[in-house]
Every structure is written in structure tokens, then in C-alpha cells.
């Protein structure tokens, strides 16, 4: 594994080249990129930090429709029971719409 010390030595070697070629410049850019990446990993906090404002609002996972607002936070078993009843009714009342919904769910 490449250490920060190895990278700094390689950078110094490239910078000390009297007549740098394109290859030397490419290596130097790569070394700096890797060094920057290593440094960022060490600096990243484990938990997100928020400044000036509270944590961002959690977006409604279900959507913004009236239905989505009603089911938010409800027990999923209760919601699926109602949805199953609705789909059974839809199958009888409007078979084409039922088939269309089923195709969307399968796809």
C-alpha cells in the first residue's frame, strides 16, 4: 500500500527533474491526486456535520399526493390490506385499468 511518505518522496523526485517530460508531469499529477484522495479520507468525519442550519428536512419517501400523506407513518400491513381490497375491486369494475396497473408493477 502506498503511504503518504512514499507519495511525498515521489513528488519530490518528479519536481527535482531538470528537464521534465510529459510523462513526468503526468506522474506528478497522479501523485498529487492520490495524495489529495488519501488526505480527504483521513479528514472525513464518521457522522455528517451540519453548520449554520439544522439537519436537512427528510423528504417524504412516499411522495406528495393526498394518498402518500395519509399512509405516511402507518403500518404497512394495514395499507397493503386496503390496497389489496382496492385492486380486487378494480379488477371487477375496470379490468383494463387493473391490467394496466399490473403491467406497470410487473415491469
Amino acid at each position: 500500500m502506498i503511504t503518504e511518505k512514499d507519495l511525498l518522496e515521489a513528488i519530490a523526485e518528479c519536481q527535482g527533474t531538470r528537464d521534465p517530460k510529459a510523462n513526468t508531469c503526468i506522474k506528478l499529477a497522479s501523485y498529487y491526486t492520490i495524495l489529495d484522495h488519501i488526505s480527504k479520507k483521513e479528514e472525513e468525519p464518521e457522522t455528517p456535520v451540519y453548520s449554520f442550519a439544522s439537519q436537512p428536512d427528510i423528504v417524504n419517501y412516499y411522495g406528495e399526493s393526498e394518498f402518500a400523506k395519509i399512509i405516511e407513518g402507518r403500518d404497512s400491513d394495514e395499507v397493503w390490506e386496503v390496497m389489496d381490497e382496492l385492486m380486487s375491486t378494480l379488477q371487477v369494475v375496470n379490468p383494463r385499468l387493473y391490467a394496466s396497473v399490473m403491467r406497470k408493477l410487473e415491469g
Side-chain angles (χ1 to χ4, degrees), residues 6 15 25 37 61 63 66 74 81 83 85 92 103:
D6 295 333
Q15 288 176 336
C25 294
H37 183 71
Y61 175 75
E66 180 183 4
R74 297 213 179 226
E81 186 178 329
M83 290 303 298
E85 186 179 326
V92 173
R103 275 194 304 274

Side-chain angles (χ1 to χ4, degrees), residues 3 36 79 93:
T3 64
D36 184 51
V79 174
V93 174

Side-chain angles (χ1 to χ4, degrees), residues 7-107:
L7 288 169
L8 292 173
E9 288 173 3
I11 289 170
E13 184 181 320
C14 286
Q15 288 176 336
T17 305
R18 282 188 160 267
D19 187 25
K21 305 276 189 239
N23 233 8
T24 305
C25 294
I26 292 170
K27 285 181 187 178
L28 188 59
S30 298
Y31 295 148
Y32 272 117
T33 302
I34 295 168
L35 183 63
D36 184 51
H37 183 71
I38 289 174
S39 299
K40 283 184 180 176
K41 274 192 172 180
E42 293 171 357
E43 293 173 7
E44 287 179 5
E46 289 185 22
T47 55
V49 177
Y50 302 97
S51 62
F52 301 113
S54 62
Q55 293 183 0
D57 294 334
I58 297 173
V59 178
N60 184 347
Y61 175 75
Y62 297 107
E64 296 300 322
S65 68
E66 180 183 4
F67 172 74
K69 290 175 183 174
I70 290 173
I71 66 166
E72 185 177 5
R74 297 213 179 226
D75 180 40
S76 61
D77 290 339
E78 293 173 4
V79 174
W80 285 115
E81 186 178 329
V82 172
M83 290 303 298
D84 186 49
E85 186 179 326
L86 172 65
M87 290 303 291
S88 296
T89 304
L90 188 61
Q91 185 177 18
V92 173
V93 174
N94 192 336
R96 288 181 61 198
L97 181 57
Y98 172 82
S100 175
V101 170
M102 295 305 285
R103 275 194 304 274
K104 284 183 182 181
L105 291 173
E106 288 173 345

